[in-house]
Amino acid sequence: MEMVLFIGIQGSGKSWFYKERFQGTHVRISRDVLRTAARERDLMQTCFRNAQSFILDNTNVKRQQRAEYIELAKTAGCRVIGYFFEATPREAIARNQRRSAKERVPIPGILRTYKQLQKPALSEGFEELYSVRLRPLPSPEGDCAVSVSRIESDDA
Ligand SMILES: Nc1ncnc2c1ncn2[C@@H]1O[C@H](COP(=O)(O)OP(=O)(O)OP(=O)(O)O)[C@@H](O)[C@H]1O
Ligand SMILES: [Mg+2]
């Protein structure tokens, strides 16, 4: 059983990546969907009880937020994997503009989250940590190519 923690500002591609890589195997836990911390906690506990792997599809930009999730996972005997979506605010805003009006988030919110971003480090307790970059492809649909690389140490 593993808990996959996504870290990245709004529009960095987290939910897209979930659909690409994890939809068939991991339950998606999103605060936007569940609305409250209590319901989120409840679903996490259900996953732990059933040895069901899940991903946390929130921005998770603050180290303290991550520490709380990591502590719960470790207590439940769960592996912890991190994916850091390294979009610049400019890239995230451009992608946000392509969203439908309903999905679009306010630009000041993206910038605020970027200011709060504390880069994840292996020393926080990740068994594995990856960096994800989406590169735009020259197509009218605005498709992206994704590259994932493993972060081997906290030195860089
Ligand atoms: N690889 C891709 N190819 C094409 N479009 C993409 C790709 N990745 C993301 N997008 C588009 O970019 C937009 C933002 O991506 P996504 O919704 O995954 O961001 P997010 O990190 O989940 O943001 P939020 O934190 O606001 O939920 C979406 O409208 C999505 O359709
Ligand atoms: Mg999302």
Side-chain angles (χ1 to χ4, degrees):
M1 165 179 51
E2 64 186 28
M3 174 179 88
V4 178
L5 199 53
F6 283 176
I7 300 123
I9 60 178
Q10 302 92 325
S12 60
K14 299 180 298 295
S15 300
W16 176 83
F17 191 74
Y18 168 74
K19 287 183 201 137
E20 280 287 303
R21 294 280 176 104
F22 293 107
Q23 186 153 254
T25 48
H26 292 57
V27 163
R28 172 170 174 261
I29 300 186
S30 158
R31 184 68 71 85
D32 290 344
V33 172
L34 295 170
R35 299 285 168 203
T36 70
R39 297 178 70 197
E40 181 184 78
R41 184 71 59 96
D42 198 59
L43 187 47
M44 282 176 70
Q45 298 297 355
T46 300
C47 288
F48 292 143
R49 245 192 346 267
N50 292 282
Q52 168 63 55
S53 294
F54 63 95
I55 69 138
L56 280 167
D57 187 5
N58 303 321
T59 57
N60 298 317
V61 289
K62 294 185 185 170
R63 195 170 296 126
Q64 181 55 37
Q65 303 168 328
R66 297 194 293 266
E68 288 166 23
Y69 291 127
I70 290 169
E71 155 112 50
L72 284 171
K74 300 264 171 187
T75 305
C78 192
R79 279 164 54 76
V80 179
I81 318 288
Y83 283 84
F84 178 35
F85 293 77
E86 301 206 37
T88 64
R90 181 191 290 263
E91 291 166 340
I93 289 166
R95 243 180 261 130
N96 185 52
Q97 300 303 96
R98 290 207 303 268
R99 286 171 155 172
S100 66
K102 216 175 93 211
E103 290 175 323
R104 211 171 290 152
V105 300
I107 292 174
I110 298 180
L111 297 173
R112 194 172 338 112
T113 307
Y114 184 71
K115 283 209 193 86
Q116 294 172 338
L117 172 68
Q118 296 173 298
K119 290 192 178 181
L122 282 162
S123 58
E124 291 173 39
F126 295 103
E127 259 86 34
E128 293 167 31
L129 184 59
Y130 296 91
S131 154
V132 183
R133 285 176 189 279
L134 303 180
R135 286 169 292 113
L137 297 175
S139 83
E141 291 79 31
D143 287 347
C144 290
V146 63
S147 63
V148 180
S149 58
R150 186 155 178 185
I151 298 172
E152 302 281 358
S153 80
D154 289 340
D155 307 337

